[in-house]
Amino acid sequence: MSAEEAAALIEPGSIIGMSGFTGAGYPKAFPQALASRIAAEHEAGHPFRVSIWTGASTAPELDGALAKVDGMEMRLPFQSDPICREKINTGKMHFADMHLSHVAQHAWFGFLGHLNVAVIEVCAIHEDGSFVPTMAVGNNKTWLDLADKVILEVNNRLPLQLDGMHDIYYGTAIPPQRVPIPLYGPHDRIGVPHLRCDPSKVIAIVETDAPDRNTGFAAPDENSERIAAHIIDFLAHEVKVGRLPKELLPLQSGVGNVANAVLAGLLKGPFDGMTGYTEVLQDGMLDLVRAGKMKSASASAISLSSEALDDFLGNIDYYRERIVLRPQEISNHPEVVRRLGVIGMNSMIEADIYGNINSTHVLGSSMMNGIGGSGDFARNSYLNFFVTPSVAKGGKISCIVPMCSHVDHTEHDTQVIVTEQGLADLRGLSPRQRAQIVIDRCAHPDYRPMLQDYFDRARQSGGQHTPHILGEALAWHDRCLKTGTMRL
Ligand code: 0RQ
């Protein structure tokens, strides 16, 4: 049926689980049709909102369209859409920011409410009723299992050779029935290639041939290249002292330009035979796979620029042998991440001198995108890096602060902080030792004396395990709100 006919089947107040992870594999026609219907209902004076659960971020056709018409009551677990962000930060919709590995299990536990409808993009429907997923697996398996009704959006743009790239593990259970996840190597296949659901639940099948978001990447700037160089030197050092094997351990890389620059650096770096165990595979990791530097990569989604997508589709048989796409509860599973000894690399908004990390909030209160998978990897990785340029907004904001205005990852999880200024290895250090090395190595020279002054004065009074001057600890953020800069 048409997307409009499918949208007409949705009741106000529904909870809808949609496919989609980091701009890949989201339904395109249905959410826009639903947004039009909601706009028309609002016009007629009828209240109409739905709650939307996904894998991670989607695109303007889903988050943007539904946010624009004030159609979302609750959104979870991650978004990166400017309109959606604006609605969240002006209090017009709710957003539950969740660890990506938690989402499926919390839905199964019944913690999130009852899922009414699943809307899932698929590449093909087999005669036996199973589906070939598209560029992302995300929480699709869980939505298909839990929802009362299912709408499938078949995307005819994608080649059928995607069939065989996915590994859908149906062995998860809820406590006390849980058993270990039998995944021992990053490229292991432990499930089946297809999704399935009870056919009697399917209420609509919609067709589209629209592309994924396919956001491009900026060529790495100087800061990103410096951050990448610090990380690569450090990894080489860890290999030299015997703490990492020469092919490293499976790499996880967050989203964005800095993450992409680190992977671009690895392309020229000394490591061969690498593997990836990440949540989203972007251009930089595809380059490593193409060049043969990375022998396999596991992810929950493939999110590429248009140029990289052309390469991927043109050489899909090569990539299908080397790339496996999994549900996000497996790509981000704490048990698996810890067993494999993943090296996690994620960007942040700010770090404080003691190593607490804010990945999500600008000046304490405004949501950027969400925690995503950064916590799944930070807590459980063998080694983790948090990276950021030392300043934001043309130097008006220091990304190294006395105290984070919001904490996503605590000092207990953080191992290595990297800015273009340098790298602070915090492993095994006390808070006071950490503070000095973060100030010396990571802070921008314009802010380094201010941080040193704060730390020195904090060491004059009060508790000396994690010295703070409480009345001043957030003064930098407060000043920025009032004057537009953290500078004095
Ligand atoms: O805003 O473009 O308006 O100037 O934040 O910053 O430097 O372009 O970096 O695109 O890599 O994003 C943490 C947001 C970094 C992202 C974050 C402003 C800055 C700019 C973006 P403008 P950059 P990136 C994998 C793992 C959490 C989730 C995660 C993120 C904008 O990486 O969402 O790790 N991470 N997931 O100006 C005020 C500061 C700021 C600041 C930067 N201190 N104060 N604004 N900005 N620092 C993915 C998934 O889980 C799916």
Side-chain angles (χ1 to χ4, degrees):
M1 65 177 71
S2 69
E4 290 68 28
E5 287 168 310
L9 302 174
I10 301 297
E11 302 284 333
S14 295
I15 299 184
I16 309 176
M18 295 212 194
S19 59
F21 196 107
T22 343
Y26 52 93
K28 283 110 182 145
F30 174 83
Q32 293 185 91
L34 181 60
S36 302
R37 177 169 170 222
I38 291 174
E41 297 282 357
H42 287 178
E43 195 101 324
H46 306 145
F48 197 135
R49 275 152 87 88
V50 293
S51 291
I52 302 289
W53 307 348
T54 60
S57 53
T58 64
E61 302 98 299
L62 197 168
D63 277 320
L66 288 169
K68 195 170 170 194
V69 298
D70 288 315
M72 284 190 277
E73 174 65 21
M74 165 61 83
R75 174 75 176 87
L76 64 83
F78 184 83
Q79 58 74 48
S80 63
D81 182 82
I83 304 173
C84 199
R85 188 183 293 137
E86 190 258 329
K87 299 282 181 183
I88 293 166
N89 288 327
T90 50
K92 298 202 175 88
M93 61 183 270
H94 292 283
F95 173 54
D97 182 16
M98 295 175 65
H99 293 297
L100 296 187
S101 75
H102 275 176
V103 184
Q105 67 163 11
H106 283 195
W108 277 107
F109 297 163
F111 292 175
L112 306 177
H114 182 74
L115 188 65
N116 303 112
V117 187
V119 184
I120 308 295
E121 186 189 69
V122 298
C123 177
I125 303 173
H126 283 300
E127 281 183 26
D128 67 1
S130 61
F131 325 123
V132 182
T134 60
M135 298 293 270
V137 178
N139 287 313
N140 295 357
K141 179 200 73 129
T142 298
W143 299 165
L144 287 164
D145 280 349
L146 285 178
D148 298 330
K149 296 171 185 169
V150 171
I151 295 174
L152 299 173
E153 189 166 306
V154 183
N155 192 323
N156 295 312
R157 169 177 287 258
L158 293 162
L160 292 175
Q161 291 108 301
L162 270 180
D163 196 347
M165 191 173 270
H166 312 88
D167 184 54
I168 316 297
Y169 180 61
Y170 275 94
T172 50
I174 62 174
Q177 278 85 28
R178 265 200 181 149
V179 294
I181 309 286
L183 196 150
Y184 305 117
H187 198 59
D188 285 0
R189 287 181 175 272
I190 59 172
V192 293
H194 304 140
L195 292 161
R196 56 177 188 244
C197 79
D198 174 355
S200 68
K201 297 205 292 188
V202 180
I203 57 165
I205 299 176
V206 171
E207 289 187 82
T208 175
D209 60 2
D212 276 334
R213 179 178 77 183
N214 303 334
T215 315
F217 290 95
D221 63 6
E222 205 185 321
N223 279 346
S224 304
E225 284 187 343
R226 282 197 196 172
I227 291 171
H230 293 314
I231 292 181
I232 290 163
D233 280 356
F234 181 80
L235 291 172
H237 173 261
E238 290 296 294
V239 171
K240 203 168 140 202
V241 299
R243 284 192 288 251
L244 280 176
K246 63 181 185 345
E247 67 282 6
L248 306 179
L249 285 165
L251 296 172
Q252 177 263 337
S253 162
V255 285
N257 292 325
V258 176
N260 225 41
V262 174
L263 296 173
L266 285 170
L267 193 59
K268 294 175 253 152
F271 314 108
D272 289 303
M274 292 181 283
T275 54
Y277 198 81
T278 193
E279 53 198 353
V280 52
L281 190 151
Q282 295 185 290
D283 290 24
M285 206 172 268
L286 197 77
D287 291 344
L288 289 171
V289 174
R290 185 191 316 111
K293 298 277 278 183
M294 183 170 271
K295 61 183 185 188
S296 71
S298 162
S300 192
I302 305 182
S303 180
L304 301 172
S305 67
S306 319
E307 304 78 58
L309 183 67
D310 289 345
D311 167 53
F312 174 79
L313 295 177
N315 299 290
I316 194 159
D317 292 333
Y318 173 86
Y319 288 119
R320 199 180 47 244
E321 296 298 307
R322 290 161 182 84
I323 294 173
V324 52
L325 294 180
R326 312 177 187 281
Q328 71 196 65
E329 61 185 319
I330 303 299
S331 65
N332 289 35
H333 201 294
E335 172 195 337
V336 178
V337 170
R338 190 173 285 205
R339 179 183 299 132
L340 299 180
V342 170
I343 299 173
M345 297 182 284
N346 291 292
S347 303
M348 58 179 164
I349 301 274
E350 64 185 6
D352 69 28
I353 53 176
Y354 296 112
N356 297 293
I357 304 292
N358 171 9
S359 293
T360 56
H361 283 68
V362 173
L363 299 172
S365 316
S366 292
M367 173 54 59
M368 180 60 88
N369 302 322
I371 192 169
S374 53
D376 296 323
F377 289 97
R379 171 71 51 92
N380 300 296
S381 287
Y382 178 88
L383 185 61
N384 72 53
F385 296 90
F386 278 102
V387 305
T388 178
S390 63
V391 290
K393 305 290 176 203
K396 290 188 184 133
I397 292 180
S398 174
C399 297
I400 307 294
V401 290
M403 183 185 261
C404 278
S405 59
H406 173 94
V407 176
D408 294 292
H409 314 292
T410 71
E411 49 157 326
H412 314 285
D413 294 326
T414 309
Q415 297 183 345
V416 184
I417 294 181
V418 195
T419 70
E420 81 290 353
Q421 299 294 322
L423 177 149
D425 177 5
L426 307 181
R427 292 172 299 173
L429 302 185
S430 73
R432 276 182 287 133
Q433 292 172 317
R434 273 186 247 145
Q436 195 56 61
I437 176 173
V438 168
I439 295 169
D440 290 343
R441 306 251 170 99
C442 298
H444 190 278
D446 289 359
Y447 288 99
R448 201 175 289 148
M450 288 164 65
L451 287 166
Q452 189 66 52
D453 172 58
Y454 175 83
F455 182 47
D456 290 345
R457 285 185 294 110
R459 292 184 67 182
Q460 302 307 313
S461 64
Q464 289 302 302
H465 180 63
T466 307
H468 266 305
I469 306 167
L470 289 182
E472 213 183 293
L474 294 171
W476 293 32
H477 299 85
D478 189 46
R479 185 158 60 243
C480 188
L481 280 170
K482 287 175 180 145
T483 69
T485 177
M486 286 181 175
R487 291 177 192 279
L488 284 168

Coordinates of all heavy atoms in Angstrom, one line a residue, residues 134-137 161-168 185-189 193 274-292 294-304 308-309 311-313 315-326 331:
T134 N 18.7 -4.0 5.8 CA 19.4 -3.1 4.9 C 20.8 -2.7 5.5 O 21.5 -3.5 5.9 CB 18.6 -1.9 4.5 OG1 18.2 -1.2 5.7 CG2 17.3 -2.3 3.8
M135 N 21.1 -1.4 5.5 CA 22.4 -1.0 6.0 C 22.6 -0.9 7.5 O 23.6 -0.5 8.0 CB 22.7 0.4 5.3 CG 22.8 0.4 3.8 SD 24.1 -0.6 3.1 CE 25.4 0.7 3.0
A136 N 21.5 -1.2 8.2 CA 21.6 -1.2 9.7 C 20.7 -2.3 10.3 O 19.7 -2.5 9.7 CB 21.2 0.2 10.2
V137 N 21.2 -2.9 11.3 CA 20.4 -3.9 12.0 C 19.7 -3.2 13.3 O 18.6 -3.4 13.5 CB 21.2 -5.1 12.4 CG1 20.3 -6.1 13.1 CG2 21.7 -5.8 11.1
Q161 N 22.6 -8.4 -3.2 CA 23.8 -8.9 -2.7 C 24.1 -8.6 -1.2 O 25.0 -9.0 -0.6 CB 25.0 -8.5 -3.5 CG 25.1 -9.1 -4.9 CD 24.8 -8.0 -5.9 OE1 23.7 -7.3 -5.8 NE2 25.7 -7.8 -6.8
L162 N 23.3 -7.7 -0.6 CA 23.4 -7.4 0.8 C 23.1 -8.7 1.6 O 23.5 -8.8 2.8 CB 22.5 -6.3 1.2 CG 22.9 -4.9 1.2 CD1 21.8 -4.0 1.7 CD2 24.2 -4.6 2.1
D163 N 22.3 -9.6 1.0 CA 21.9 -10.8 1.6 C 23.1 -11.6 2.0 O 23.9 -12.0 1.2 CB 21.0 -11.6 0.7 CG 20.2 -12.7 1.4 OD1 20.5 -13.0 2.6 OD2 19.3 -13.2 0.8
G164 N 23.3 -11.9 3.3 CA 24.4 -12.7 3.8 C 25.4 -11.8 4.6 O 26.3 -12.4 5.2
M165 N 25.2 -10.5 4.6 CA 26.1 -9.7 5.3 C 25.8 -9.6 6.8 O 26.6 -9.3 7.7 CB 26.1 -8.3 4.7 CG 27.2 -7.4 5.3 SD 27.3 -5.8 4.4 CE 28.5 -6.2 3.1
H166 N 24.5 -9.9 7.1 CA 24.0 -9.7 8.5 C 24.1 -11.0 9.3 O 24.1 -12.1 8.8 CB 22.5 -9.2 8.4 CG 22.3 -8.1 7.5 ND1 22.0 -8.3 6.1 CD2 22.4 -6.8 7.6 CE1 21.9 -7.2 5.5 NE2 22.1 -6.2 6.4
D167 N 24.2 -10.8 10.6 CA 24.2 -11.9 11.5 C 23.3 -11.6 12.7 O 23.6 -10.8 13.6 CB 25.6 -12.1 12.1 CG 25.7 -13.4 12.9 OD1 25.3 -14.5 12.5 OD2 26.2 -13.2 14.1
I168 N 22.1 -12.2 12.6 CA 21.0 -11.8 13.6 C 21.0 -13.0 14.6 O 20.7 -14.1 14.4 CB 19.6 -11.8 12.9 CG1 19.7 -11.0 11.6 CG2 18.6 -11.2 13.9 CD1 20.1 -9.5 11.7
G185 N 35.4 -14.2 18.5 CA 36.3 -13.4 17.6 C 35.4 -12.4 17.0 O 34.2 -12.6 16.8
P186 N 36.0 -11.2 16.6 CA 35.2 -10.1 16.1 C 34.4 -10.5 14.8 O 33.4 -9.8 14.5 CB 36.2 -9.0 15.8 CG 37.6 -9.6 15.9 CD 37.4 -10.9 16.7
H187 N 34.9 -11.4 14.0 CA 34.2 -11.8 12.8 C 33.3 -13.0 12.9 O 32.7 -13.5 12.0 CB 35.2 -12.0 11.7 CG 34.6 -11.9 10.3 ND1 34.0 -10.8 9.8 CD2 34.6 -12.8 9.3 CE1 33.5 -11.0 8.6 NE2 33.9 -12.2 8.2
D188 N 33.2 -13.6 14.1 CA 32.3 -14.8 14.3 C 30.9 -14.5 13.9 O 30.4 -13.4 14.1 CB 32.3 -15.2 15.8 CG 33.6 -15.9 16.2 OD1 34.5 -16.0 15.4 OD2 33.6 -16.3 17.4
R189 N 30.3 -15.5 13.3 CA 28.8 -15.4 13.0 C 28.1 -16.4 13.9 O 28.5 -17.6 14.0 CB 28.6 -15.8 11.5 CG 29.0 -14.7 10.6 CD 28.7 -15.1 9.1 NE 29.1 -13.9 8.3 CZ 28.2 -12.9 8.0 NH1 27.0 -13.0 8.4 NH2 28.6 -11.9 7.3
P193 N 21.2 -15.1 8.9 CA 21.4 -13.8 8.1 C 20.1 -13.0 8.0 O 20.2 -11.9 7.5 CB 21.8 -14.4 6.7 CG 21.5 -15.8 6.6 CD 21.3 -16.3 8.1
M274 N 44.6 -5.6 11.2 CA 43.7 -5.1 12.3 C 42.3 -5.7 12.1 O 41.9 -6.2 11.0 CB 43.6 -3.6 12.2 CG 44.9 -2.9 12.6 SD 44.7 -1.1 12.5 CE 44.8 -0.8 10.8
T275 N 41.4 -5.5 13.1 CA 40.0 -5.9 13.1 C 39.2 -4.7 13.6 O 39.7 -3.9 14.4 CB 39.7 -7.2 13.9 OG1 40.2 -7.0 15.2 CG2 40.3 -8.4 13.2
G276 N 37.9 -4.7 13.3 CA 37.0 -3.7 13.8 C 35.9 -4.3 14.6 O 35.4 -5.4 14.1
Y277 N 35.6 -3.8 15.7 CA 34.4 -4.3 16.4 C 33.7 -3.0 17.0 O 34.0 -2.5 18.0 CB 34.7 -5.3 17.6 CG 33.4 -6.0 18.0 CD1 33.0 -7.1 17.3 CD2 32.6 -5.6 19.1 CE1 31.8 -7.8 17.6 CE2 31.5 -6.3 19.4 CZ 31.1 -7.4 18.7 OH 29.9 -8.0 19.0
T278 N 32.8 -2.5 16.1 CA 32.3 -1.1 16.4 C 30.8 -1.1 16.2 O 30.2 -2.1 15.9 CB 33.0 -0.1 15.4 OG1 32.8 1.2 15.8 CG2 32.6 -0.3 13.9
E279 N 30.2 0.1 16.4 CA 28.7 0.1 16.3 C 28.4 0.7 14.9 O 27.4 0.2 14.3 CB 28.1 0.9 17.4 CG 28.7 2.3 17.5 CD 28.4 2.9 18.8 OE1 27.6 2.4 19.6 OE2 28.9 4.0 19.1
V280 N 29.2 1.6 14.4 CA 28.9 2.2 13.1 C 30.1 2.2 12.3 O 31.2 2.8 12.7 CB 28.1 3.5 13.2 CG1 28.8 4.5 14.0 CG2 27.9 4.1 11.8
L281 N 30.0 1.7 11.1 CA 31.2 1.6 10.2 C 31.1 2.8 9.2 O 30.1 2.9 8.5 CB 31.2 0.3 9.5 CG 32.4 -0.1 8.7 CD1 32.5 -1.6 8.6 CD2 32.3 0.4 7.3
Q282 N 32.1 3.7 9.3 CA 32.0 4.9 8.4 C 33.2 4.8 7.4 O 33.9 3.8 7.4 CB 32.1 6.2 9.3 CG 30.9 6.3 10.2 CD 30.9 7.6 10.9 OE1 31.6 7.8 11.8 NE2 30.0 8.5 10.6
D283 N 33.3 5.9 6.6 CA 34.3 5.9 5.5 C 35.7 5.4 5.9 O 36.3 4.6 5.2 CB 34.4 7.3 4.9 CG 33.1 7.7 4.2 OD1 32.1 7.2 4.5 OD2 33.2 8.6 3.3
G284 N 36.1 5.9 7.1 CA 37.5 5.6 7.4 C 37.8 4.1 7.6 O 38.8 3.6 7.2
M285 N 36.8 3.4 8.2 CA 37.0 2.0 8.4 C 36.8 1.2 7.1 O 37.5 0.3 6.9 CB 36.0 1.5 9.5 CG 36.5 0.3 10.2 SD 35.6 -0.3 11.6 CE 36.3 0.5 13.0
L286 N 35.9 1.7 6.3 CA 35.8 1.1 4.9 C 37.1 1.2 4.2 O 37.5 0.2 3.5 CB 34.7 1.7 4.1 CG 34.2 0.9 3.0 CD1 33.3 -0.2 3.5 CD2 33.4 1.7 2.0
D287 N 37.8 2.3 4.3 CA 39.1 2.5 3.6 C 40.1 1.5 4.1 O 40.9 0.9 3.3 CB 39.6 3.9 3.9 CG 38.8 5.0 3.2 OD1 38.1 4.7 2.3 OD2 39.0 6.2 3.6
L288 N 40.1 1.3 5.4 CA 41.0 0.3 6.0 C 40.7 -1.1 5.5 O 41.6 -1.9 5.2 CB 40.9 0.3 7.5 CG 41.5 1.5 8.2 CD1 41.1 1.5 9.7 CD2 43.0 1.6 8.1
V289 N 39.4 -1.4 5.4 CA 39.0 -2.8 4.9 C 39.5 -2.9 3.4 O 40.0 -3.9 3.0 CB 37.5 -3.0 5.1 CG1 37.1 -4.3 4.4 CG2 37.2 -3.0 6.6
R290 N 39.2 -1.9 2.6 CA 39.5 -1.9 1.2 C 41.0 -2.1 1.0 O 41.4 -2.9 0.2 CB 39.0 -0.6 0.5 CG 39.3 -0.7 -1.0 CD 39.1 0.6 -1.7 NE 37.9 1.4 -1.3 CZ 38.0 2.5 -0.6 NH1 39.2 3.0 -0.2 NH2 36.9 3.1 -0.2
A291 N 41.8 -1.4 1.8 CA 43.2 -1.4 1.7 C 43.8 -2.7 2.2 O 45.0 -2.9 2.0 CB 43.9 -0.2 2.4
G292 N 43.0 -3.5 2.8 CA 43.6 -4.8 3.4 C 44.3 -4.6 4.7 O 44.8 -5.5 5.3
M294 N 42.7 -3.7 7.4 CA 41.8 -4.3 8.4 C 41.2 -5.5 7.8 O 40.6 -5.4 6.7 CB 40.7 -3.2 8.7 CG 39.8 -3.7 9.8 SD 38.7 -2.3 10.4 CE 39.7 -1.7 11.7
K295 N 41.4 -6.7 8.4 CA 40.9 -7.9 7.7 C 39.4 -8.1 7.9 O 38.8 -8.8 7.0 CB 41.8 -9.1 8.2 CG 41.7 -9.4 9.6 CD 42.6 -10.6 9.9 CE 42.5 -11.0 11.4 NZ 43.4 -12.0 11.9
S296 N 38.8 -7.6 8.9 CA 37.4 -7.8 9.1 C 36.8 -6.7 10.0 O 37.6 -6.1 10.8 CB 37.0 -9.1 9.7 OG 37.3 -9.1 11.0
A297 N 35.6 -6.3 9.8 CA 34.9 -5.3 10.6 C 33.5 -5.7 10.9 O 32.8 -6.2 10.1 CB 34.9 -4.0 9.9
S298 N 33.2 -5.6 12.2 CA 31.8 -5.9 12.7 C 31.2 -4.6 13.2 O 31.8 -3.8 13.8 CB 32.0 -6.9 13.8 OG 30.8 -6.9 14.6
A299 N 29.9 -4.4 12.8 CA 29.2 -3.2 13.2 C 27.7 -3.5 13.3 O 27.3 -4.6 13.0 CB 29.5 -2.1 12.2
S300 N 26.9 -2.5 13.7 CA 25.5 -2.6 13.6 C 24.9 -1.8 12.4 O 23.8 -2.1 12.0 CB 24.8 -2.1 14.9 OG 23.5 -2.5 15.0
A301 N 25.8 -0.9 11.9 CA 25.3 -0.1 10.8 C 26.5 0.3 9.9 O 27.6 0.4 10.4 CB 24.6 1.1 11.3
I302 N 26.2 0.6 8.6 CA 27.2 1.1 7.7 C 26.6 2.5 7.3 O 25.6 2.6 6.7 CB 27.4 0.3 6.5 CG1 27.7 -1.2 6.9 CG2 28.5 0.8 5.6 CD1 28.0 -2.1 5.7
S303 N 27.4 3.6 7.6 CA 26.9 4.9 7.4 C 28.0 5.6 6.6 O 29.1 5.9 7.1 CB 26.7 5.6 8.7 OG 26.2 6.9 8.5
L304 N 27.8 5.8 5.3 CA 28.8 6.2 4.4 C 28.5 7.5 3.7 O 27.3 7.9 3.5 CB 29.1 5.1 3.3 CG 29.5 3.8 3.9 CD1 29.5 2.7 2.7 CD2 30.8 3.8 4.6
A308 N 31.9 6.9 -0.8 CA 32.2 5.6 -0.2 C 31.1 4.6 -0.4 O 31.4 3.4 -0.6 CB 32.4 5.8 1.3
L309 N 29.8 5.1 -0.5 CA 28.7 4.1 -0.8 C 28.9 3.5 -2.2 O 28.6 2.3 -2.4 CB 27.4 4.9 -0.6 CG 26.2 4.0 -0.8 CD1 26.0 2.9 0.3 CD2 24.9 4.8 -0.9
D311 N 31.6 3.0 -3.7 CA 32.6 1.9 -3.7 C 32.1 0.7 -3.0 O 32.3 -0.4 -3.5 CB 33.8 2.5 -2.9 CG 34.8 1.4 -2.5 OD1 35.3 0.7 -3.3 OD2 35.1 1.3 -1.2
F312 N 31.4 0.9 -1.9 CA 30.8 -0.3 -1.2 C 29.9 -1.1 -2.1 O 30.0 -2.3 -2.2 CB 30.0 0.3 0.0 CG 29.3 -0.8 0.8 CD1 30.0 -1.6 1.7 CD2 27.9 -1.0 0.6 CE1 29.3 -2.6 2.4 CE2 27.2 -2.0 1.3 CZ 27.9 -2.8 2.2
L313 N 29.0 -0.4 -2.8 CA 28.0 -1.1 -3.6 C 28.7 -1.8 -4.8 O 28.4 -2.9 -5.3 CB 26.9 -0.2 -4.1 CG 26.0 0.3 -2.9 CD1 25.0 1.3 -3.5 CD2 25.3 -0.8 -2.2
N315 N 31.7 -2.9 -4.9 CA 32.6 -4.1 -4.5 C 31.9 -4.9 -3.4 O 32.6 -5.4 -2.5 CB 33.9 -3.5 -4.1 CG 34.6 -2.7 -5.1 OD1 35.1 -3.3 -6.1 ND2 34.7 -1.4 -5.0
I316 N 30.6 -5.0 -3.5 CA 29.9 -5.6 -2.4 C 30.3 -7.0 -2.1 O 30.3 -7.4 -0.9 CB 28.4 -5.4 -2.6 CG1 27.6 -5.6 -1.3 CG2 27.8 -6.2 -3.7 CD1 26.3 -5.0 -1.2
D317 N 30.7 -7.8 -3.1 CA 31.0 -9.2 -2.8 C 32.3 -9.2 -2.0 O 32.4 -10.1 -1.1 CB 31.2 -10.0 -4.1 CG 29.9 -10.1 -4.9 OD1 28.8 -10.1 -4.2 OD2 29.9 -10.2 -6.1
Y318 N 33.2 -8.3 -2.3 CA 34.5 -8.2 -1.5 C 34.1 -7.9 0.0 O 34.6 -8.5 0.9 CB 35.4 -7.2 -2.1 CG 36.6 -6.9 -1.3 CD1 37.8 -7.6 -1.4 CD2 36.7 -5.8 -0.4 CE1 39.0 -7.3 -0.7 CE2 37.8 -5.5 0.4 CZ 39.0 -6.3 0.2 OH 40.1 -6.0 0.9
Y319 N 33.3 -6.8 0.1 CA 33.0 -6.4 1.5 C 32.1 -7.4 2.3 O 32.3 -7.5 3.5 CB 32.3 -5.0 1.5 CG 33.2 -3.9 1.0 CD1 33.0 -3.1 -0.1 CD2 34.4 -3.6 1.8 CE1 33.9 -2.1 -0.5 CE2 35.3 -2.6 1.4 CZ 35.0 -1.9 0.3 OH 35.9 -0.9 -0.1
R320 N 31.2 -8.1 1.6 CA 30.4 -9.0 2.3 C 31.2 -10.1 3.0 O 30.8 -10.7 4.0 CB 29.4 -9.7 1.4 CG 28.2 -10.3 2.1 CD 27.1 -10.9 1.2 NE 27.8 -11.7 0.2 CZ 27.7 -11.5 -1.1 NH1 27.1 -10.5 -1.6 NH2 28.4 -12.3 -1.9
E321 N 32.3 -10.5 2.4 CA 33.2 -11.5 3.1 C 33.9 -10.9 4.3 O 34.3 -11.7 5.2 CB 34.4 -11.9 2.1 CG 33.9 -12.5 0.8 CD 33.2 -13.9 1.1 OE1 33.8 -14.7 1.8 OE2 32.0 -14.0 0.7
R322 N 34.0 -9.6 4.4 CA 34.8 -9.0 5.5 C 34.0 -8.2 6.5 O 34.5 -7.8 7.5 CB 35.9 -8.1 4.8 CG 36.9 -8.9 4.1 CD 37.7 -8.1 3.1 NE 38.7 -9.0 2.4 CZ 38.4 -9.7 1.4 NH1 37.2 -9.7 0.8 NH2 39.3 -10.5 0.8
I323 N 32.7 -7.9 6.2 CA 31.9 -7.1 7.1 C 30.8 -7.9 7.6 O 30.1 -8.6 6.8 CB 31.5 -5.8 6.3 CG1 32.7 -4.9 6.0 CG2 30.5 -5.0 7.2 CD1 32.3 -3.7 5.1
V324 N 30.5 -7.8 8.9 CA 29.3 -8.4 9.4 C 28.5 -7.4 10.2 O 29.0 -6.6 10.9 CB 29.6 -9.7 10.2 CG1 30.7 -9.4 11.3 CG2 28.4 -10.3 10.9
L325 N 27.2 -7.3 9.9 CA 26.3 -6.4 10.6 C 25.4 -7.1 11.6 O 24.8 -8.1 11.3 CB 25.4 -5.6 9.6 CG 26.1 -4.7 8.6 CD1 25.1 -4.0 7.7 CD2 26.9 -3.6 9.4
R326 N 25.4 -6.6 12.9 CA 24.7 -7.3 14.0 C 23.7 -6.4 14.7 O 23.8 -5.2 14.6 CB 25.7 -7.7 15.1 CG 27.0 -8.3 14.6 CD 27.9 -8.6 15.8 NE 29.2 -9.1 15.3 CZ 29.5 -10.3 14.9 NH1 28.6 -11.2 14.9 NH2 30.7 -10.7 14.5
S331 N 26.6 -5.8 19.0 CA 27.7 -5.0 18.6 C 28.3 -4.2 19.8 O 29.4 -3.9 19.9 CB 27.4 -4.0 17.5 OG 26.4 -3.1 18.0

